[in-house]
mmCIF file of all heavy atoms in Angstrom:
data_model
loop_
_atom_site.group_PDB
_atom_site.id
_atom_site.type_symbol
_atom_site.label_atom_id
_atom_site.label_comp_id
_atom_site.label_asym_id
_atom_site.label_seq_id
_atom_site.Cartn_x
_atom_site.Cartn_y
_atom_site.Cartn_z
ATOM 1 N N LEU O 127 -9.345 7.686 4.908
ATOM 2 C CA LEU O 127 -8.163 7.806 5.769
ATOM 3 C C LEU O 127 -7.922 6.501 6.505
ATOM 4 O O LEU O 127 -8.851 5.790 6.877
ATOM 5 C CB LEU O 127 -8.363 8.941 6.760
ATOM 6 C CG LEU O 127 -8.607 10.343 6.205
ATOM 7 C CD1 LEU O 127 -8.846 11.321 7.318
ATOM 8 C CD2 LEU O 127 -7.415 10.778 5.340
ATOM 9 N N THR O 128 -6.644 6.204 6.745
ATOM 10 C CA THR O 128 -6.295 5.073 7.538
ATOM 11 C C THR O 128 -6.417 5.442 9.006
ATOM 12 O O THR O 128 -6.577 6.613 9.381
ATOM 13 C CB THR O 128 -4.808 4.630 7.260
ATOM 14 O OG1 THR O 128 -3.970 5.702 7.648
ATOM 15 C CG2 THR O 128 -4.634 4.333 5.778
ATOM 16 N N ARG O 129 -6.329 4.398 9.920
ATOM 17 C CA ARG O 129 -6.427 4.641 11.327
ATOM 18 C C ARG O 129 -5.327 5.575 11.801
ATOM 19 O O ARG O 129 -5.552 6.539 12.613
ATOM 20 C CB ARG O 129 -6.358 3.364 12.063
ATOM 21 C CG ARG O 129 -6.486 3.470 13.583
ATOM 22 C CD ARG O 129 -6.406 2.146 14.257
ATOM 23 N NE ARG O 129 -7.456 1.235 13.780
ATOM 24 C CZ ARG O 129 -7.547 -0.033 14.166
ATOM 25 N NH1 ARG O 129 -6.683 -0.515 15.027
ATOM 26 N NH2 ARG O 129 -8.503 -0.759 13.710
ATOM 27 N N ARG O 130 -4.118 5.449 11.289
ATOM 28 C CA ARG O 130 -3.000 6.315 11.684
ATOM 29 C C ARG O 130 -3.224 7.761 11.250
ATOM 30 O O ARG O 130 -2.965 8.714 12.000
ATOM 31 C CB ARG O 130 -1.698 5.752 11.108
ATOM 32 C CG ARG O 130 -0.459 6.549 11.556
ATOM 33 C CD ARG O 130 0.773 5.878 10.991
ATOM 34 N NE ARG O 130 0.923 4.530 11.470
ATOM 35 C CZ ARG O 130 1.911 3.697 11.127
ATOM 36 N NH1 ARG O 130 2.834 4.131 10.244
ATOM 37 N NH2 ARG O 130 2.007 2.466 11.572
ATOM 38 N N GLU O 131 -3.776 7.919 10.021
ATOM 39 C CA GLU O 131 -4.050 9.293 9.528
ATOM 40 C C GLU O 131 -5.147 9.963 10.334
ATOM 41 O O GLU O 131 -5.123 11.161 10.605
ATOM 42 C CB GLU O 131 -4.429 9.187 8.054
ATOM 43 C CG GLU O 131 -3.186 8.858 7.174
ATOM 44 C CD GLU O 131 -3.632 8.490 5.768
ATOM 45 O OE1 GLU O 131 -4.834 8.167 5.569
ATOM 46 O OE2 GLU O 131 -2.750 8.544 4.857
ATOM 47 N N ARG O 132 -6.193 9.149 10.763
ATOM 48 C CA ARG O 132 -7.245 9.728 11.531
ATOM 49 C C ARG O 132 -6.715 10.180 12.919
ATOM 50 O O ARG O 132 -7.105 11.216 13.461
ATOM 51 C CB ARG O 132 -8.369 8.722 11.701
ATOM 52 C CG ARG O 132 -9.130 8.413 10.402
ATOM 53 C CD ARG O 132 -10.449 7.758 10.707
ATOM 54 N NE ARG O 132 -10.369 6.548 11.451
ATOM 55 C CZ ARG O 132 -10.137 5.344 10.924
ATOM 56 N NH1 ARG O 132 -9.983 5.204 9.631
ATOM 57 N NH2 ARG O 132 -10.092 4.269 11.687
ATOM 58 N N ALA O 133 -5.789 9.383 13.516
ATOM 59 C CA ALA O 133 -5.231 9.714 14.778
ATOM 60 C C ALA O 133 -4.428 10.966 14.709
ATOM 61 O O ALA O 133 -4.508 11.883 15.566
ATOM 62 C CB ALA O 133 -4.363 8.540 15.301
ATOM 63 N N ALA O 134 -3.610 11.125 13.631
ATOM 64 C CA ALA O 134 -2.851 12.351 13.437
ATOM 65 C C ALA O 134 -3.766 13.566 13.262
ATOM 66 O O ALA O 134 -3.486 14.620 13.764
ATOM 67 C CB ALA O 134 -1.936 12.174 12.211
ATOM 68 N N GLY O 135 -4.917 13.359 12.558
ATOM 69 C CA GLY O 135 -5.844 14.472 12.373
ATOM 70 C C GLY O 135 -6.471 14.889 13.700
ATOM 71 O O GLY O 135 -6.666 16.128 13.925
ATOM 72 N N ILE O 136 -6.781 13.971 14.573
ATOM 73 C CA ILE O 136 -7.334 14.273 15.859
ATOM 74 C C ILE O 136 -6.346 15.087 16.723
ATOM 75 O O ILE O 136 -6.717 16.062 17.362
ATOM 76 C CB ILE O 136 -7.797 12.979 16.593
ATOM 77 C CG1 ILE O 136 -8.974 12.378 15.866
ATOM 78 C CG2 ILE O 136 -8.164 13.297 18.058
ATOM 79 C CD1 ILE O 136 -9.372 10.998 16.408
ATOM 80 N N VAL O 137 -5.052 14.659 16.686
ATOM 81 C CA VAL O 137 -4.027 15.372 17.431
ATOM 82 C C VAL O 137 -3.881 16.808 16.933
ATOM 83 O O VAL O 137 -3.807 17.793 17.704
ATOM 84 C CB VAL O 137 -2.667 14.632 17.322
ATOM 85 C CG1 VAL O 137 -1.557 15.476 17.914
ATOM 86 C CG2 VAL O 137 -2.762 13.289 18.036
ATOM 87 N N LEU O 138 -3.875 16.960 15.602
ATOM 88 C CA LEU O 138 -3.772 18.327 15.062
ATOM 89 C C LEU O 138 -4.969 19.198 15.423
ATOM 90 O O LEU O 138 -4.824 20.377 15.691
ATOM 91 C CB LEU O 138 -3.579 18.239 13.533
ATOM 92 C CG LEU O 138 -2.276 17.669 12.992
ATOM 93 C CD1 LEU O 138 -2.305 17.524 11.498
ATOM 94 C CD2 LEU O 138 -1.136 18.588 13.442
ATOM 95 N N LEU O 139 -6.140 18.567 15.418
ATOM 96 C CA LEU O 139 -7.322 19.326 15.796
ATOM 97 C C LEU O 139 -7.261 19.817 17.257
ATOM 98 O O LEU O 139 -7.605 20.948 17.568
ATOM 99 C CB LEU O 139 -8.565 18.479 15.579
ATOM 100 C CG LEU O 139 -9.945 19.114 15.947
ATOM 101 C CD1 LEU O 139 -10.180 20.328 15.098
ATOM 102 C CD2 LEU O 139 -11.089 18.105 15.772
ATOM 103 N N LEU O 140 -6.802 18.899 18.146
ATOM 104 C CA LEU O 140 -6.660 19.293 19.547
ATOM 105 C C LEU O 140 -5.648 20.415 19.728
ATOM 106 O O LEU O 140 -5.810 21.340 20.531
ATOM 107 C CB LEU O 140 -6.246 18.059 20.369
ATOM 108 C CG LEU O 140 -7.311 16.933 20.508
ATOM 109 C CD1 LEU O 140 -6.711 15.764 21.204
ATOM 110 C CD2 LEU O 140 -8.526 17.441 21.234
ATOM 111 N N VAL O 141 -4.531 20.361 18.968
ATOM 112 C CA VAL O 141 -3.503 21.419 19.035
ATOM 113 C C VAL O 141 -4.110 22.738 18.556
ATOM 114 O O VAL O 141 -3.889 23.767 19.159
ATOM 115 C CB VAL O 141 -2.294 21.038 18.205
ATOM 116 C CG1 VAL O 141 -1.304 22.210 18.075
ATOM 117 C CG2 VAL O 141 -1.543 19.848 18.844
ATOM 118 N N TYR O 142 -4.879 22.681 17.453
ATOM 119 C CA TYR O 142 -5.498 23.895 16.908
ATOM 120 C C TYR O 142 -6.448 24.530 17.914
ATOM 121 O O TYR O 142 -6.365 25.751 18.187
ATOM 122 C CB TYR O 142 -6.189 23.569 15.616
ATOM 123 C CG TYR O 142 -6.931 24.725 15.017
ATOM 124 C CD1 TYR O 142 -6.269 25.788 14.462
ATOM 125 C CD2 TYR O 142 -8.330 24.693 15.023
ATOM 126 C CE1 TYR O 142 -6.990 26.866 13.931
ATOM 127 C CE2 TYR O 142 -9.026 25.784 14.470
ATOM 128 C CZ TYR O 142 -8.368 26.831 13.887
ATOM 129 O OH TYR O 142 -9.043 27.902 13.394
ATOM 130 N N VAL O 143 -7.325 23.735 18.432
ATOM 131 C CA VAL O 143 -8.320 24.222 19.406
ATOM 132 C C VAL O 143 -7.621 24.775 20.664
ATOM 133 O O VAL O 143 -7.962 25.826 21.203
ATOM 134 C CB VAL O 143 -9.351 23.173 19.756
ATOM 135 C CG1 VAL O 143 -10.271 23.641 20.873
ATOM 136 C CG2 VAL O 143 -10.207 22.782 18.507
ATOM 137 N N VAL O 165 -5.558 28.362 9.768
ATOM 138 C CA VAL O 165 -5.841 26.988 9.421
ATOM 139 C C VAL O 165 -5.996 26.738 7.890
ATOM 140 O O VAL O 165 -5.674 25.684 7.417
ATOM 141 C CB VAL O 165 -7.132 26.507 10.146
ATOM 142 C CG1 VAL O 165 -8.386 27.205 9.580
ATOM 143 C CG2 VAL O 165 -7.302 25.005 10.089
ATOM 144 N N LEU O 169 -3.892 23.801 6.033
ATOM 145 C CA LEU O 169 -4.569 22.662 5.418
ATOM 146 C C LEU O 169 -4.167 22.478 3.966
ATOM 147 O O LEU O 169 -3.831 21.408 3.499
ATOM 148 C CB LEU O 169 -6.088 22.785 5.556
ATOM 149 C CG LEU O 169 -6.676 22.516 6.939
ATOM 150 C CD1 LEU O 169 -8.188 22.756 6.916
ATOM 151 C CD2 LEU O 169 -6.381 21.129 7.396
ATOM 152 N N LEU O 172 -0.569 21.276 3.727
ATOM 153 C CA LEU O 172 -0.412 19.863 4.069
ATOM 154 C C LEU O 172 -1.006 18.995 2.963
ATOM 155 O O LEU O 172 -0.474 17.911 2.663
ATOM 156 C CB LEU O 172 -1.141 19.546 5.367
ATOM 157 C CG LEU O 172 -0.465 20.148 6.636
ATOM 158 C CD1 LEU O 172 -1.317 19.917 7.868
ATOM 159 C CD2 LEU O 172 0.914 19.504 6.858
#
Side-chain angles (χ1 to χ4, degrees):
L127 301 176
T128 64
R129 182 179 300 176
R130 185 176 299 178
E131 290 168 339
R132 294 197 302 274
I136 292 172
V137 171
L138 290 175
L139 179 61
L140 292 175
V141 171
Y142 175 70
V143 173
V165 69
L169 285 177
L172 290 174

